[in-house]
Amino acid sequence: MNWANANVPKYSAEATYKYVDLGLPSGTLWAKMNVGAKSETDYGLYFAWGETEGHADASTKTFSWRDYKFNPSGDGKTFTKYNTTDNKVVLDAEDDAAHVNCGGEWHMPTKEQCIELIKETKNGFVTNAGAFTQYAWSDSDGHSSPTQTTATISNWDTAGYFFFKNTYTSVTDAISAEDYLFIPAAGFCSNGRVDDVGEWGNVWSSSLYADNVYGAWYFGFGSDGAGVTNRGGRCDGQSVRGVIGNIDK
């Protein structure tokens, strides 16, 4: 897909979105902030999967099937796009919130890019008191779990998830070098509520869960684990983070 053929972005990619190069095998570059955010610790906006208009909370959109773009019947079963017959398993550019809002070559990561981010970096969860616990990936069960490696990040007040290069000894070294990725624990929106803020974070991928088109893949994390999953519905409101680059299949 030619991501360079952008519509007029709502946010300036050059002025607003900086990226970090974590040395990933694919060369994928990850944006430093969520779409709609003003800083790396700002939650940004919540988006239903495949919708490009974000919301600050659940007051202007319920994030339920009754107001989901591709399910006008509201039954959570019959979808006008990304369904069992159109063979679309990755969002088109026009339905990609990162691409529409940021322009240029920005787009939402695929499921594979989310997995690569976890597997090919050092990473872990930090509390709003700055207590960091490094996680370790397991190929056998496909997710990361807390280890005994911990650190204290001074003057830190936002819970979320850090990623940094394998060449760094610790997260504090990466922070000192300003060479890391942070995703805040923004929680998620569903049925008119915002839940798990400061405890969990979810970032949509562009990949449909083809075995059950009710859902889509996303990176989820919390104090007891992290991984790429498809639990929940496409109508839920979750964070969106842009990337540049692709993984060749």
Side-chain angles (χ1 to χ4, degrees), residues 103-196:
E105 297 183 47
W106 290 109
H107 60 92
M108 292 164 62
T110 61
K111 170 191 173 184
E112 291 76 19
Q113 285 174 304
C114 291
I115 293 174
E116 178 191 50
L117 177 65
I118 308 173
K119 290 182 66 174
E120 302 295 339
T121 64
K122 290 180 179 177
N123 52 76
F125 186 82
V126 64
T127 69
N128 58 13
F132 172 82
T133 301
Q134 192 164 311
Y135 286 16
W137 175 265
S138 170
D139 278 322
S140 62
D141 56 18
H143 76 278
S144 292
S145 300
T147 67
Q148 298 301 310
T149 302
T150 62
T152 299
I153 303 173
S154 301
N155 302 314
W156 194 264
D157 62 2
T158 305
Y161 209 83
F162 272 101
F163 301 87
F164 52 102
K165 294 175 183 175
N166 289 318
T167 53
Y168 288 109
T169 302
S170 70
V171 66
T172 52
D173 291 341
I175 292 173
S176 296
E178 298 183 352
D179 190 19
Y180 63 89
L181 180 71
F182 176 74
I183 300 177
F188 69 101
C189 297
S190 182
N191 291 313
R193 295 178 49 180
V194 183
D195 292 318
D196 295 337

Side-chain angles (χ1 to χ4, degrees), residues 2-174:
N2 185 3
W3 295 107
N5 293 331
N7 296 322
V8 177
K10 296 179 181 178
Y11 305 99
S12 167
E14 291 76 16
T16 305
Y17 289 96
K18 299 182 183 298
Y19 63 77
V20 59
D21 183 353
L22 293 168
L24 300 172
S26 70
T28 297
L29 307 174
W30 283 76
K32 290 283 285 182
M33 297 183 293
N34 286 343
V35 174
K38 297 180 179 179
S39 71
E40 66 178 357
T41 57
D42 183 5
Y43 295 152
L45 300 174
Y46 299 94
F47 296 82
W49 189 82
E51 296 189 4
T52 59
E53 181 179 355
H55 300 263
D57 51 37
S59 63
T60 57
K61 180 179 174 66
T62 65
F63 289 102
S64 62
W65 292 120
R66 62 180 176 270
D67 60 10
Y68 180 56
K69 177 179 179 179
F70 299 116
N71 182 222
S73 67
D75 64 0
K77 299 177 181 179
T78 53
F79 301 101
T80 57
K81 194 174 183 181
Y82 308 106
N83 50 46
T84 57
T85 59
D86 64 10
N87 296 316
K88 290 181 177 291
V89 295
V90 177
L91 289 172
D92 290 337
E94 65 188 21
D95 302 319
D96 185 303
H99 182 61
V100 171
N101 286 283
C102 303
E105 297 183 47
W106 290 109
H107 60 92
M108 292 164 62
T110 61
K111 170 191 173 184
E112 291 76 19
Q113 285 174 304
C114 291
I115 293 174
E116 178 191 50
L117 177 65
I118 308 173
K119 290 182 66 174
E120 302 295 339
T121 64
K122 290 180 179 177
N123 52 76
F125 186 82
V126 64
T127 69
N128 58 13
F132 172 82
T133 301
Q134 192 164 311
Y135 286 16
W137 175 265
S138 170
D139 278 322
S140 62
D141 56 18
H143 76 278
S144 292
S145 300
T147 67
Q148 298 301 310
T149 302
T150 62
T152 299
I153 303 173
S154 301
N155 302 314
W156 194 264
D157 62 2
T158 305
Y161 209 83
F162 272 101
F163 301 87
F164 52 102
K165 294 175 183 175
N166 289 318
T167 53
Y168 288 109
T169 302
S170 70
V171 66
T172 52
D173 291 341

Side-chain angles (χ1 to χ4, degrees), residues 47-50 63-65 68 76 79 188-191 202 204 208-209 212-218 230-238:
F47 296 82
W49 189 82
F63 289 102
S64 62
W65 292 120
Y68 180 56
F79 301 101
F188 69 101
C189 297
S190 182
N191 291 313
N202 299 324
W204 281 123
L208 181 71
Y209 180 40
N212 183 353
V213 296
Y214 170 98
W217 293 95
Y218 61 91
N230 52 56
R231 291 180 294 182
R234 290 157 51 175
C235 61
D236 288 345
Q238 301 187 155

